[in-house]
Amino acid sequence: MKRYLIWMLAALFALLPAAGLAAENRATQISTTLPEEHIITVVCGAGGAVRIDGTVYTGTREFTVDRLSSFALEAVPDAGYQFSQVEAQPSSGVSISGNMVIIGSVYEGKTLTLSFVREQVNPTPTVNPTPTISPTATASPTATVSPTPTVSPTATVSPTATVSPTATVSPTATASPTASPKPQPNFDLPFVEYQGNVLYDDYLGTGAGLKELGILYDEDYELDEYELLAVLNNKDWADGNMLLVIAQPEDNGSYAQHSLMLSGLQLARLWQEKQIQWIEMRNGEAGVLLRIDELLSGNVAKYVDWALRDPEAAKPEAVENLPEVELTAVQLEHVRFEVRIEPGEEGTYRFGVYVWFAGEQPSVAELMSSLKVCLSAGEQGGEAERNAYVEAHALSATDEMGAVEYLESALIETPVRETGGQDQLSEYFNVEIDSEEHAIVLYDPEKSLDAYRRWSMCADWAGNVEYCLVELDG
């Protein structure tokens, strides 16, 4: 009997912990706190970029998104590429419409991986294996300076010519003795439907709105860091028509690298429809001056035509002996041109002109005879003061080995003034901002055109070197 009682007591004590645990569980409350934000990771593959809230990104980026809010991005293929697919992990809740990728309601973190593929290209043209292009302009370090000759605003400037210290050289002067105006092509440009913004659609656009204005180099630059105006003259002085682009300084007053990027279609519209001949870009004390026709015809057009057919084989230095080509609107739609100014140390600058296609961005500056680099010469007075300035200053070019070359330089005022007693008929185009979503790119309409004119010492582009305005000894 005692053994039985001991067994019963042992069984009872064995049950007590379980019963206590059950009582404890009944008193425990389980709660879950939902996050207020989620992380969306965007991985952009080669051949394109993504645009999110108006800013363009490449590579891998993370974005913090409020829970249950929407998230959208636009795939932006490079020239020669097209958007292929997006892989989402986890895959639920993601929709695709054209180049748009949309998450209607974000309730978890996701990774979106975008892929781009090359568009099909045509066979490569026959190339002469013995190119004759010289990558740098010829400049004499011992150029003779004559104190008295007069230079006409339309004079041809030879690389070895005597430079007049009093010469006011207009950008209509050609930089090479063999350069000559080319007949203007008749591009079959697509119709642009008005979208309510003069700057983007009527003036520079291709019908695709804001995304077609590529006056950005990367996501660090905003559209309101640039000032644009067009200087249009009467038909007798149309060769002085110019698009002037001015980069604004940083908050601390310094200038970083800035670029003007326009599509081939935009350049064709400027040239063919707006009759603009020149582009000048300014970044601080530096400026670049070039003719639009040299970007759309001649050796640059040969290279673009070849590059769009066979990007891996095309070489800028091998196009001299190729036959002349006329680019089509379809080809122009697949390239972008960049004019770049990069400040260095102690008043030095680097300049470049590049063509973007199929993920590549080779330099085409060496194919352009009109390309001039300029550094501000400050305020200039009368003829005597300009004579003295030219005698005492020149542009220098310093290569990677530290060798310095003094370039034959001329004093140029841009935008140019009409000569021969003609009335000044220059005018600006207007900019309309029709909603807060449109970036602001403005000139000051209260200023006269004189407020934008400045004197610069200019020389032919002499390669990828550091340029500086120097005071000459003696």
Side-chain angles (χ1 to χ4, degrees):
M1 182 65 179
K2 290 180 178 181
R3 181 178 298 176
Y4 179 74
L5 290 174
I6 292 172
W7 182 84
M8 292 289 291
L9 288 172
L12 179 62
F13 281 113
L15 293 174
L16 283 177
L21 181 60
E24 183 179 350
N25 285 342
R26 285 195 298 271
T28 300
Q29 295 182 353
I30 300 176
S31 61
T32 301
T33 301
L34 296 176
E36 296 181 356
E37 298 175 331
H38 297 285
I39 300 296
I40 304 297
T41 302
V42 178
V43 181
C44 182
V50 296
R51 181 181 287 109
I52 300 174
D53 293 333
T55 302
V56 177
Y57 302 93
T58 58
T60 300
R61 301 279 180 151
E62 290 186 349
F63 300 89
T64 302
V65 182
D66 293 338
R67 179 174 174 80
L68 301 183
S69 65
S70 62
F71 178 81
L73 63 83
E74 178 188 6
V76 184
D78 289 344
Y81 280 75
Q82 62 184 14
F83 176 44
S84 174
Q85 65 177 4
V86 59
E87 181 181 350
Q89 294 292 339
S91 60
S92 59
V94 179
S95 61
I96 303 174
S97 176
N99 283 3
M100 297 299 299
V101 179
I102 303 170
I103 303 176
S105 179
V106 176
Y107 56 85
E108 61 184 347
K110 288 185 184 295
T111 297
L112 304 175
T113 303
L114 281 74
S115 300
F116 300 87
V117 297
R118 286 186 187 273
E119 296 177 339
Q120 292 185 354
V121 295
N122 297 325
T124 179
T126 303
V127 181
N128 189 315
T130 56
T132 58
I133 287 289
S134 172
T136 58
T138 302
S140 171
T142 58
T144 303
V145 179
S146 169
T148 56
T150 303
V151 177
S152 164
T154 58
T156 298
V157 180
S158 165
T160 58
T162 299
V163 177
S164 164
T166 63
T168 302
V169 182
S170 102
T172 56
T174 53
S176 167
T178 59
S180 58
K182 299 180 177 64
Q184 186 153 310
N186 183 25
F187 295 120
D188 185 16
L189 300 175
F191 171 74
V192 175
E193 185 176 356
Y194 178 74
Q195 298 185 19
N197 188 301
V198 172
L199 176 64
Y200 298 107
D201 300 308
D202 281 0
Y203 210 88
L204 296 177
T206 58
L210 292 179
K211 69 179 182 180
E212 285 297 326
L213 183 63
I215 192 170
L216 310 173
Y217 181 69
D218 59 32
E219 64 270 16
D220 293 332
Y221 299 157
E222 300 294 335
L223 290 178
D224 59 7
E225 293 184 18
Y226 294 86
E227 190 173 9
L228 283 79
L229 63 94
V231 181
L232 307 177
N233 298 277
N234 62 41
K235 63 181 181 180
D236 295 327
W237 194 247
D239 202 41
N241 290 349
M242 171 182 291
L243 174 68
L244 178 61
V245 181
I246 304 174
Q248 304 298 335
E250 306 292 301
D251 292 338
N252 61 4
S254 65
Y255 283 85
Q257 175 178 303
H258 279 274
S259 294
L260 166 67
M261 292 185 69
L262 295 173
S263 71
L265 278 181
Q266 289 169 331
L267 285 171
R269 290 194 186 283
L270 289 174
W271 187 24
Q272 181 170 306
E273 297 179 354
K274 305 301 179 181
Q275 305 299 309
I276 288 184
Q277 308 296 318
W278 290 87
I279 290 178
E280 181 184 3
M281 180 184 172
R282 297 176 184 173
N283 186 19
E285 298 296 302
V288 172
L289 194 62
L290 70 160
R291 290 189 63 96
I292 293 181
D293 61 356
E294 279 207 304
L295 289 173
L296 301 177
S297 61
N299 286 332
V300 177
K302 295 177 189 178
Y303 175 67
V304 169
D305 178 70
W306 183 11
L308 291 177
R309 296 173 184 273
D310 192 344
E312 296 181 358
K315 306 296 180 188
E317 66 272 14
V319 301
E320 175 71 9
N321 296 319
L322 290 178
E324 295 291 335
V325 299
E326 185 168 311
L327 298 175
T328 67
V330 174
Q331 289 175 309
L332 294 172
E333 187 179 9
H334 284 81
V335 294
R336 291 186 296 165
F337 292 92
E338 176 193 359
V339 181
R340 183 187 304 173
I341 302 178
E342 181 180 358
E345 298 179 354
E346 300 180 353
T348 62
Y349 289 85
R350 288 183 180 271
F351 304 85
V353 180
Y354 305 87
V355 58
W356 288 55
F357 65 94
E360 306 292 333
Q361 45 180 307
S363 170
V364 292
E366 60 270 28
L367 303 181
M368 304 183 63
S369 63
S370 71
L371 180 61
K372 291 186 179 295
V373 298
C374 305
L375 291 177
S376 175
E379 296 291 333
Q380 294 291 326
E383 181 177 346
E385 181 179 341
R386 295 197 297 270
N387 289 352
Y389 189 91
V390 174
E391 288 180 346
H393 296 83
L395 293 189
S396 68
T398 305
D399 63 19
E400 299 294 342
M401 304 301 294
V404 179
E405 181 181 15
Y406 292 96
L407 306 176
E408 188 171 343
S409 308
L411 189 61
I412 297 178
E413 184 185 33
T414 53
V416 297
R417 299 175 187 270
E418 294 190 40
T419 59
Q422 300 181 40
D423 294 331
Q424 176 68 356
L425 299 178
S426 299
E427 59 178 316
Y428 307 149
F429 67 87
N430 295 318
V431 179
E432 294 179 1
I433 306 299
D434 60 359
S435 77
E436 294 181 357
E437 297 179 357
H438 284 183
I440 300 173
V441 185
L442 290 173
Y443 64 91
D444 186 346
E446 301 301 321
K447 291 182 181 179
S448 68
L449 186 60
D450 284 336
Y452 292 97
R453 287 191 169 101
R454 79 175 185 184
W455 291 93
S456 301
M457 286 293 283
C458 300
D460 293 335
W461 188 83
N464 184 22
V465 295
E466 287 189 338
Y467 297 85
C468 184
L469 180 61
V470 296
E471 188 169 355
L472 301 175
D473 296 332

